[in-house]
Amino acid sequence: MDSFWDDVDRHLVRYGGTFTPEIIDSASGSFLFTEDGRRVLDFTSGQMSAILGHSHPRVVETVQRQIANLDHLFSGMLSRPVVDLARRLAGTLPPSLSKVQLLTTGAESNEAALRMAKLVTGKHEVVAFARSWHGMTAAAAAATYSAGRKGYGPAAPGNFAIPAPSGDWRTQLDLAFDLVDAQSVGSLAACIVEPILSSGGILEPPPGYFAALREKCRERGMLLIFDEAQTGLCRTGTWYAFERDGVVPDILTLSKTLGAGLPLAAVVTSAEIEEEAHARGYLFFTTHVSDPLVAAVGNTVLDVLEEERLDERAAKLGAFLRTGLEDIAARHSLVSDVRGRGLLVGLEIADESLSAPITRRCLELGLHMNIVQMPGMGGVFRIAPPLTASEEELELGLGILDEAIGAAG
Ligand SMILES: Cc1ncc(COP(=O)(O)O)c(C=O)c1O
């Protein structure tokens, strides 16, 4: 008898949610393959990361070549893949975002961004959305409000939540900052936000919101940090989600999509902020900072995104997916909303109790879906297929989702 699931029970720490009841054996393109021979369409790009699908041949080739040549270095040593990626990333961004530090995970990139903001401003207070997710390490977790707040002792002092925008957002934003000002000890350093809140339920702030937020930050001498872990690198139909708003952050963090499934993250800022941070002794020295292996992968990810114009493809496929989801919504009353941008889309289910059976049925029919619970509302399926997916694959997923929702309703 195979002891796999017994070993899971005996030996694995349960770190959040439940494990998917399948043993995944391999993955290729938009599909996962289970040990018992089933094919499952991956509508979450792994953990919202594998924008080129799984085991993209160009990424496989890069990893094989790079690991045989130069894998990892003393953290103060530099190699060409790292400097190439820094230069190329800056080339995809507005001119002010020219200085890059390469790291490993999303939480870590936010940790570094917040550390830099605190050092440069000489202040320590941080504002974030009440539906945010910025990661599991100290400062990132202290600015994360959508989950995991309770039971871990005090968060860093000086963290404030503002509502994710809704309704009359201008009045809401004014009131939010009245409260921030009332609570602040006069040490506001930064505001960190996702341009589209993902774990918060695929919430897209309205046009104009980020310009107004930028003004709130400017008035208070705070730095604005955009966390584009999920939205960066073409996912929403443009290279970066902030392009819609024309609001350039002081610091940008990238992760998940940058390594397309491999652990690579970046903090990007202006020459002025970097200069000031350096003058004040900025220290963020980690084991895997500036590692050549994943930097080489990052360069390959940029190659593929550029050569295959995956920004345009994400916009086109996103419109296709959106039409299909709106069609499903029109035929099933339990779907209460469809929202998002490009290939980052949310499908809201009014009755939260149906979300688990729908997810289960999708998996039985060969589709992996992820749902986030919304306090006081329904559940939201987060749909983020690889940017390399075909229309046929999206159609397959839509068909399965339609059937699973039909069976639940
Ligand atoms: C917007 C955002 N920021 C940061 C993170 C944290 O990234 P990581 O899990 O790589 O630390 C996530 C992860 O879900 C995220 O969605």
Side-chain angles (χ1 to χ4, degrees), residues 33 52 60 68 71 127 155 174 190 284 287 299:
F33 298 90
L52 306 184
V60 172
D71 51 359
V127 173
D174 286 342
F284 202 90
T287 304
N299 280 303

Side-chain angles (χ1 to χ4, degrees), residues 211-242:
L213 183 65
R214 151 113 269 176
E215 189 52 24
K216 295 285 184 205
C217 290
R218 202 194 51 75
E219 288 163 5
R220 291 161 181 79
M222 301 166 73
L223 299 187
L224 179 61
I225 303 171
F226 280 163
D227 174 354
E228 293 231 23
Q230 298 203 12
T231 52
L233 287 305
C234 302
R235 159 77 64 210
T236 68
T238 51
W239 272 77
Y240 301 96
F242 73 71

Side-chain angles (χ1 to χ4, degrees), residues 47 104-108 110 133-136 194 198-199 227-230 255-256 382:
Q47 189 59 38
T104 311
T105 69
E108 199 189 26
N110 290 328
W133 184 294
H134 297 294
M136 297 281 92
E194 300 155 72
S198 176
S199 304
D227 174 354
E228 293 231 23
Q230 298 203 12
S255 52
K256 295 175 181 284
R382 291 191 296 170

Side-chain angles (χ1 to χ4, degrees), residues 73 94 160 225 229 241 244 278 285 312:
L73 287 172
F160 307 117
I225 303 171
R244 183 202 69 172
H278 176 68
F285 197 84
E312 289 168 10

